[in-house]
C-alpha cells in the first residue's frame, strides 16, 4: 500500500525557535496534502491543506504566519512552526490522497511529536 | 455542513466480548466513511472504508462496519475483542470537494483481561 513518511518523528526545541516537519509520499504523487494537529486524547484538527505549486489553504483560526506550509513537489510538503511556544507542543500528522483517488482514500503519516520547552 | 459524532469517548469490554463503537454522521451529500485505529504515539491506520459499494464492509483484524443510510450510522463491530484491540478509534467522513476528511472525537477502547 501507499506510504507516507514524516520526519522527524520526535523533536524538542526551545521556545522562540522554528521547527520544520517534512511529509513525504514515498510511492505515489499527491497534489494535495493535509496537515492535522492532535492534542492529547483529542481528535485530529485539520490545520491546512497544502497544494502543490500554490498557496496553502488554512482552516479558520489557524495562523498562517505561524504555521508555514510549502508544497514544493508532488511528493513533499513541509510544515514550519515559527517562533515556537510551549502551547505549540502537539502531535502533528499529515495525510495525502494519491492522485486520481479523490477523497475516498487518504494515507496518513506516522506523526511528529513536537515538544517546545 | 459535515460532521461526525462518536458516542462514548471511552468503551470498555472484556476480552472475548463483542466490540461496538458507534459513529453517526451528518452530510449534505452521500458520504464516504472510514474507521481508523491509532495506537499510542503513532499515526492512523485504516481499518475499513465505505465508498458506496456494499453496505457491510469488512476490514482488517476482524472488524466490520455497516452503513445504514436511514440511521446515518456507520458503527464498528468485532465479534470477539482481543487485548491488542486496545487503542483509539476514529470515525471519519470524506467524499467532498477539496478532499478533506472530518473526524469524530474518537473512542478509546479498553479491553479487560
Amino acid at each position: 500500500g501507499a506510504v507516507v513518511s514524516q520526519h522527524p518523528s520526535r523533536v524538542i526545541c526551545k521556545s522562540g525557535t522554528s521547527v520544520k516537519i517534512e511529509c513525504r509520499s514515498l510511492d505515489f504523487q499527491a497534489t494535495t496534502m493535509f496537515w492535522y494537529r492532535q492534542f492529547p486524547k483529542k481528535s485530529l484538527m485539520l490545520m491546512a491543506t497544502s497544494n502543490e505549486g500554490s498557496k496553502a489553504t488554512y482552516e479558520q483560526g489557524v495562523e498562517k504566519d505561524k504555521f508555514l506550509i510549502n508544497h514544493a513537489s508532488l511528493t513533499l510538503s513541509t510544515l514550519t512552526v515559527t517562533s515556537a511556544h510551549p502551547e505549540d507542543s502537539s502531535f502533528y500528522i499529515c495525510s495525502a490522497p494519491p492522485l486520481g483517488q479523490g477523497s475516498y482514500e487518504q494515507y496518513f503519516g506516522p506523526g511528529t511529536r513536537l515538544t517546545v520547552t | 455542513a459535515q460532521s461526525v459524532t462518536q458516542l462514548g469517548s471511552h468503551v470498555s469490554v472484556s476480552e472475548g466480548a463483542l466490540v461496538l463503537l458507534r459513529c453517526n454522521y451528518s452530510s449534505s451529500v452521500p458520504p464516504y466513511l472510514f474507521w481508523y485505529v491509532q495506537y499510542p504515539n503513532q499515526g492512523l491506520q485504516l481499518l475499513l472504508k465505505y465508498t458506496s459499494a456494499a453496505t457491510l464492509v469488512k476490514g482488517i483484524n476482524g472488524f466490520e462496519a455497516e452503513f445504514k443510510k436511514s440511521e446515518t450510522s456507520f458503527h464498528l463491530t468485532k465479534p470477539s475483542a482481543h487485548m491488542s484491540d486496545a487503542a483509539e478509534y476514529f470515525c471519519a467522513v470524506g467524499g467532498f470537494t477539496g478532499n478533506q476528511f472530518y473526524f469524530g472525537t474518537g473512542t478509546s477502547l479498553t479491553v479487560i483481561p
Side-chain angles (χ1 to χ4, degrees):
Chain A
V3 177
V4 174
S5 70
Q6 283 185 240
H7 178 78
S9 57
R10 291 177 177 270
V11 58
I12 301 173
C13 70
K14 292 186 177 181
S15 186
T17 62
S18 295
V19 175
K20 180 184 287 188
I21 303 170
E22 293 185 348
C23 176
R24 292 182 185 272
S25 55
L26 297 185
D27 49 3
F28 66 95
Q29 295 181 326
T31 56
T32 302
M33 292 184 176
F34 300 95
W35 286 97
Y36 297 85
R37 181 174 180 176
Q38 186 178 33
F39 293 97
K41 300 189 183 301
K42 297 290 185 182
S43 187
L44 282 75
M45 180 191 77
L46 179 64
M47 298 175 64
T49 302
S50 173
N51 303 299
E52 190 268 336
S54 64
K55 291 183 178 180
T57 305
Y58 290 82
E59 296 299 302
Q60 191 173 8
V62 177
E63 300 176 61
K64 61 179 67 176
D65 293 330
K66 180 165 190 62
F67 297 100
L68 299 180
I69 291 173
N70 182 33
H71 198 139
S73 74
L74 288 172
T75 59
L76 173 64
S77 174
T78 60
L79 168 68
T80 301
V81 183
T82 63
S83 187
H85 290 282
E87 56 265 30
D88 298 324
S89 298
S90 195
F91 195 53
Y92 293 88
I93 300 175
C94 70
S95 72
L99 278 178
Q101 297 230 6
S103 53
Y104 57 85
E105 191 65 83
Q106 283 200 34
Y107 299 101
F108 287 81
T112 297
R113 172 73 61 191
L114 170 63
T115 303
V116 184
T117 61
Chain B
Q2 282 64 239
S3 68
V4 178
T5 302
Q6 289 183 242
L7 288 177
S9 57
H10 297 276
V11 171
S12 293
V13 300
S14 297
E15 189 175 16
L18 171 71
V19 176
L20 171 60
L21 304 183
R22 300 178 185 275
C23 173
N24 289 87
Y25 68 91
S26 170
S27 174
S28 57
V29 297
Y32 298 134
L33 294 157
F34 307 82
W35 274 101
Y36 289 89
V37 61
Q38 184 182 35
Y39 297 98
N41 293 311
Q42 295 187 26
L44 300 181
Q45 180 181 7
L46 179 67
L47 280 177
L48 48 80
K49 61 185 177 185
Y50 166 76
T51 57
S52 74
T55 56
L56 181 62
V57 181
K58 293 186 183 298
I60 63 172
N61 301 339
F63 285 94
E64 62 181 40
E66 185 172 9
F67 172 67
K68 291 187 177 181
K69 185 177 179 180
S70 61
E71 299 177 8
T72 60
S73 68
F74 190 58
H75 301 330
L76 181 71
T77 60
K78 181 174 180 177
S80 177
H82 192 272
M83 295 298 295
S84 61
D85 294 328
E88 191 81 18
Y89 292 79
F90 293 96
C91 182
V93 60
F96 312 112
T97 302
N99 291 337
Q100 292 101 333
F101 275 24
Y102 297 91
F103 285 87
T105 51
T107 298
S108 178
L109 176 65
T110 300
V111 181
I112 303 167

